Amino acid sequence: MNQTNTQGLDGVIAGETAIASVGKGHGLKYRGYDIYDLAKGASYEEVAYLLHFGKLPYKVNYQFYISTLKDKRLICEGLRHILEQIPATAHPMDVLKTGISFLGCVEPEKSDFSNQNECIERILAALPAILMYWYHYANHGHQISLDSNQKTIAAYFLEKLHRCEPNLEHVEALNSSLILYAEHEFNASTFASRVTASTLSDIYSAITTGIGVLGGPLHGGANEAAMDLITSYNTPEEAKEGIVKKLEANDKIMGFGHRVYKKCDPRNVVIKEIAKALSVGHKEEKLYYISEAIEKTMWDEKKLFPNLDFYSASAYHYMGIPTSFFTPIFVISRVAGWAAHVKEQRANNRLIRPNASYTGPEEKSFTPLSERGE
Ligand code: ACO
């Protein structure tokens, strides 16, 4: 293999998975189910179950799973105390990383991994609670109650964020978005989580690995950067002109392009539809038209298409979600995929340790420090 091919492991098959297939016929399937059908017809919890247990739940499994997740939301006083120490200026991604890391200290996974499913459910359920507890304390000094009758993660998240009964259209939209983000084969954060799992490290370490890797703007951080871009323009015309200038300056436009997809991101159809529906009648409806102008310009100028992150930005904005929560929502969703991959890696493990092609200096003879001069 030559140097160009190995850069960024582009096109390299780095292992096998039965969890998702990406880009075959430009589609995306989770365990054989088309993403479009899942995003339109399932709940995020059904999809998490599918990813973890390999099949869609029957009603009885589903009810049990939902009530287990509901029971595992509350976080202990020790964790609440830790979250109270984190300033409002911290990025919420760091808050999630810290929260999960602390959970691993007080509710550790057993060394034989026999409680891995319990730990995974705990992490799935606790992530929104960790974020919301910190957010309200750091910004308003409120120690909010994390209790709720909401059954789903989408409804719970929006209830705790806005501290009132959530808007049903927003709950449905967030639920679909969580499904779209839940899994994507060997993307950077999932692959990194698998590397951690392959050393036989614990699930909390694998998940904090994923959070750290996801945060970068070339990966999950792109949805926040896309929002900053969209709101920097006042009209579609201004957006077109601005994007052309950025492309001339060789700037990367966040929320566009993809390593695997070459013509379109199949998740974009769904999230764009959602963003459009949420924009109607909203006081910032123009953001949708500005987004469309950016999309058209990117296609006309570079034949680049929006990935999932682009329209997620305006969709979340319309739900009243602060921009700094966009990537954390990606975590709340993608944790389902990371955990499924940790389980799959463990089921047939071999240490992931590739080789590198050495490009450094030839052999040199060593001179002790005392003989090297000033
Ligand atoms: N804006 C402008 N040009 C771009 C973009 C973009 N968003 N994406 C790719 N290109 C151009 C590159 O400049 C390069 O052009 P060149 O050949 O003339 O130098 C060419 O397309 C190939 O780009 P690479 O960065 O080499 O493609 P790669 O496969 O390594 O990267 C990536 C894929 C990282 C997603 C890239 O498209 C990108 O940086 N996009 C912006 C960040 C982003 O949206 N990330 C989210 C990914 S999806 C997700 O996490 C849900």
Side-chain angles (χ1 to χ4, degrees):
M1 215 180 292
N2 66 33
Q3 185 68 25
T4 314
N5 284 342
T6 56
Q7 207 180 15
L9 300 181
D10 189 352
V12 172
I13 304 282
E16 294 182 348
T17 183
I19 302 170
S21 64
V22 175
K24 316 283 179 292
H26 309 295
L28 169 61
K29 292 187 170 64
Y30 296 168
R31 297 204 183 272
Y33 294 99
D34 195 278
I35 187 68
Y36 193 82
D37 296 332
L38 292 172
K40 294 279 173 182
S43 71
Y44 169 71
E45 288 75 7
E46 274 176 89
V47 170
Y49 186 102
L50 169 72
L51 295 173
H52 295 159
F53 300 108
K55 55 186 181 196
L56 286 167
Y58 290 109
K59 275 187 196 156
V60 59
N61 313 122
Y62 181 66
Q63 296 309 340
F64 186 70
Y65 192 59
I66 286 275
S67 77
T68 304
L69 292 180
K70 193 165 168 279
D71 291 347
K72 291 191 176 191
R73 279 175 190 155
L74 299 188
I75 56 176
C76 65
E77 198 186 333
L79 179 47
R80 293 200 303 273
H81 182 69
I82 293 281
L83 295 171
E84 288 174 12
Q85 311 307 307
I86 305 177
T89 48
H91 195 285
M93 289 292 278
D94 295 326
V95 175
L96 291 183
K97 210 164 41 186
T98 303
I100 296 304
S101 194
F102 183 80
L103 269 188
C105 301
V106 292
E107 301 173 17
E109 187 176 29
K110 292 182 181 155
S111 57
D112 63 1
F113 308 139
S114 56
N115 63 339
Q116 70 174 355
N117 286 337
E118 288 76 11
C119 293
I120 290 168
E121 286 158 5
R122 177 68 171 131
I123 294 169
L124 269 169
L127 277 166
I130 289 170
L131 186 61
M132 288 307 150
Y133 187 82
W134 165 77
Y135 171 68
H136 290 292
Y137 187 82
N139 289 284
H140 315 291
H142 297 154
Q143 295 174 313
I144 64 160
S145 159
L146 294 171
D147 232 352
S148 165
N149 285 327
Q150 300 296 345
K151 288 188 177 155
T152 65
I153 288 175
Y156 180 74
F157 179 91
L158 289 171
E159 179 192 283
K160 290 299 160 199
L161 174 63
H162 299 308
R163 302 191 70 189
C164 61
E165 191 62 27
N167 171 313
L168 279 183
E169 188 189 9
H170 292 180
V171 171
E172 277 177 27
L174 185 59
N175 176 69
S176 297
S177 157
L178 292 176
I179 292 172
L180 296 174
Y181 268 128
E183 159 59 6
H184 216 221
E185 192 223 50
F186 279 14
N187 60 88
S189 56
T190 302
F191 189 66
S193 296
R194 281 189 84 126
V195 172
T196 302
S198 84
T199 69
L200 300 183
S201 188
D202 66 292
I203 185 80
Y204 296 95
S205 300
I207 299 304
T208 49
T209 299
I211 297 173
V213 175
L214 188 75
L218 294 188
H219 193 6
N223 54 15
E224 295 182 14
M227 193 68 223
D228 294 341
L229 177 79
I230 297 162
T231 49
S232 71
Y233 302 118
N234 289 308
T235 61
E237 296 71 30
E238 208 183 280
K240 180 180 173 186
E241 204 178 305
I243 293 296
V244 169
K245 277 200 191 127
K246 280 184 186 293
L247 291 176
E248 279 166 4
N250 274 333
D251 283 359
K252 276 228 164 148
I253 309 300
M254 295 301 155
F256 283 84
H258 200 271
R259 171 60 66 77
V260 181
Y261 302 122
K262 297 302 172 200
K263 290 191 176 149
C264 67
D265 181 335
R267 302 166 295 182
N268 181 56
V269 186
V270 185
I271 198 68
K272 185 176 174 182
E273 222 174 78
I274 290 172
K276 184 173 185 179
L278 295 177
S279 75
V280 177
H282 192 281
K283 64 179 188 315
E284 290 181 279
E285 193 169 355
K286 68 171 186 183
L287 292 178
Y288 180 78
Y289 297 106
I290 290 171
S291 305
E292 276 197 324
I294 296 174
E295 179 183 4
K296 182 167 179 342
T297 311
M298 286 299 285
W299 186 256
D300 292 347
E301 298 291 321
K302 288 278 273 191
K303 292 289 167 279
L304 278 170
F305 53 87
N307 56 50
L308 174 58
D309 284 329
F310 188 65
Y311 282 99
S312 297
S314 48
Y316 291 162
H317 186 78
Y318 291 135
M319 294 178 215
I321 298 173
T323 303
S324 64
F325 283 6
F326 292 5
T327 317
I329 293 176
F330 196 158
V331 171
I332 288 167
S333 161
R334 183 58 60 85
V335 70
W338 293 333
H341 278 271
V342 168
K343 288 178 74 173
E344 188 178 63
Q345 181 67 34
R346 286 174 174 176
N348 187 20
N349 188 53
R350 187 151 187 237
L351 178 74
I352 299 175
R353 198 294 185 199
N355 289 62
S357 164
Y358 180 69
T359 59
E362 293 299 311
E363 203 171 305
K364 291 182 171 178
S365 58
F366 175 74
T367 313
L369 180 62
S370 58
E371 294 168 26
R372 266 179 247 156
E374 289 305 309

